[in-house]
Amino acid sequence: MKYFFYDQETQEGIDADDAAEGTEVEIVAAWNALTPTPGSFLGIFETDDKPTLQFMWEEEEDGFDKPWLDIPVPDRQGSYRKIVTREEAAQLLKQTIEGSDPMEIPGLEFEAW
């Protein structure tokens, strides 16, 4: 599985165009180490023809500090999204790495860009 990330606080990461191969342990460790700050994100994908699963923190007016799950669908010019906990995100990363289809995650809602 390939992964990419950016940590807004440390200014460190791996660009999506240079995504690194990673094991489940490496990817979940990178997720757990990520600073929960708006602008921080981590994404995984297997191949270009399968969906990218990513998690990110965004600025929220109410100070909400849970990450967003985001599955971009460029052909539809939008993403399937939902708010998750950090722990749920780690579980969903593991399930996707083990072969689950992220498009089958319950509660996803489409949002146009």
Side-chain angles (χ1 to χ4, degrees):
M1 186 69 64
K2 292 185 178 186
Y3 74 108
F4 57 93
F5 71 94
Y6 181 74
D7 188 308
Q8 183 66 35
E9 188 171 299
T10 65
Q11 304 277 307
E12 295 177 352
I14 300 171
D15 190 71
D17 291 336
D18 298 320
E21 285 289 334
T23 66
E24 178 180 311
V25 170
E26 292 168 327
I27 294 168
V28 172
W31 169 250
N32 289 332
L34 202 62
T35 308
T37 304
S40 292
F41 62 85
L42 179 138
I44 62 172
F45 63 95
E46 190 171 358
T47 61
D48 291 336
D49 61 335
K50 293 206 175 181
T52 297
L53 175 66
Q54 52 193 17
F55 298 93
M56 64 193 72
W57 279 271
E58 297 179 355
E59 285 287 341
E60 296 291 332
E61 291 177 19
D62 62 2
F64 199 75
D65 64 353
K66 292 184 179 173
W68 280 92
L69 175 158
D70 185 84
I71 303 171
V73 184
D75 293 348
R76 293 193 56 203
Q77 297 182 347
S79 294
Y80 285 96
R81 305 184 82 205
K82 79 179 229 177
I83 295 173
V84 296
T85 66
R86 191 167 190 148
E87 295 76 24
E88 287 173 311
Q91 276 305 113
L92 292 167
L93 283 167
K94 290 176 186 179
Q95 291 170 3
T96 302
I97 292 165
E98 292 168 1
S100 293
D101 182 353
M103 295 301 290
E104 294 179 6
I105 295 169
L108 294 175
E109 294 184 19
F110 187 79
E111 187 176 306
W113 296 330

